[in-house]
Amino acid sequence: MLVRIFFIAALAALTVPSPSGAETLSELLRTGKLEILSMSGNGSSSGAALEGQVFNPTSAPLSVDVHLLEPIYFRNLGQAQNMIATRVYEADGGYFVLGDRAFIEVPAGEVMEILLVAYCADFELDNPGRDSRFVMEAMPPELLDTARKVAAYEASRPDEDAMVALQLAVWLAQGVSPARIERQFTFSPADLSLARSILR
């Protein structure tokens, strides 16, 4: 049975990595089967933080895996944060589950609005607002290992709300101290412990 589910702030959803029959967003963009038309912020630093439009230029609908097992780096064209995207949903947070597959579907020849789960890559900069515009670029080498660990953790524990710890992990890996982070970003000792374990 095909079931449609909605992504909620708690991030609790039935998802699995690389389901058979679905392709990753990274691969579809790399091969030109899917194109990003626009990407902007919504005021958030973490979680469901990026909103955009994609276009499917092909003659067939595309099933896109919810998880970006190869995370995507979005460079801010303004002065706010750059972002690391790790998951994709429909604009309203919806996605489909069919057996062990979790995916969104982009109709053939159509433009579709999407929502990306993403994490701030620049602790000192402001959150990207709706006036922020992004372009996709190669992941900076110093962020690649951390981004992959964050994406892998999400994919392996789809029912766990670990957004705070995952954002912490990104900043800790860049050498930002917990004391400095705590002045601007609320987290618990458990969040800090999990962030450190994700980076191991």
Side-chain angles (χ1 to χ4, degrees):
M1 181 189 306
L2 179 65
V3 179
R4 190 161 185 266
I5 295 178
F6 287 87
F7 163 82
I8 307 298
L11 308 184
L14 175 60
T15 56
V16 294
S18 294
S20 175
E23 298 178 81
T24 66
L25 181 60
S26 306
E27 181 66 11
L28 289 168
L29 293 171
R30 187 187 68 79
T31 58
K33 291 182 181 178
L34 203 61
E35 301 170 8
I36 291 178
L37 300 183
S38 67
M39 191 63 62
S40 63
N42 60 17
S44 301
S45 70
S46 316
L50 294 178
E51 300 171 3
Q53 289 185 326
V54 292
F55 172 58
N56 175 2
T58 76
S59 59
L62 296 172
S63 294
V64 186
D65 189 5
V66 161
H67 286 280
L68 280 61
L69 296 183
E70 191 62 34
I72 297 175
Y73 182 76
F74 286 96
R75 180 172 65 84
N76 197 316
L77 294 176
Q79 300 302 311
Q81 299 162 359
N82 301 303
M83 304 292 288
I84 298 168
T86 57
R87 276 184 276 173
V88 59
Y89 297 96
E90 295 178 8
D92 61 3
Y95 62 100
F96 294 99
V97 170
L98 179 60
D100 63 353
R101 295 176 53 199
F103 60 95
I104 64 171
E105 189 164 286
V106 185
E110 291 190 18
V111 173
M112 179 174 164
E113 295 187 359
I114 60 170
L115 178 70
L116 292 177
V117 170
Y119 297 92
C120 162
D122 305 275
F123 178 72
E124 296 293 348
L125 301 181
D126 292 334
N127 293 354
R130 296 196 182 277
D131 59 342
S132 290
R133 295 293 178 265
F134 292 86
V135 293
M136 185 177 68
E137 288 191 352
M139 186 74 66
E142 66 272 16
L143 293 175
L144 185 56
D145 183 61
T146 300
R148 286 174 173 167
K149 287 177 178 177
V150 166
Y153 188 90
E154 284 184 333
S156 66
R157 295 166 176 80
D159 296 327
E160 183 178 332
D161 179 6
M163 184 188 72
V164 172
L166 293 167
Q167 178 62 82
L168 269 175
V170 173
W171 289 330
L172 291 173
Q174 296 178 76
V176 187
S177 72
R180 188 170 159 205
I181 295 170
E182 196 169 25
R183 290 196 288 270
Q184 296 179 222
F185 187 77
T186 302
F187 61 88
S188 69
D191 293 326
L192 181 58
S193 177
L194 177 56
R196 286 171 168 159
S197 71
I198 290 168
L199 295 174
R200 291 192 190 116

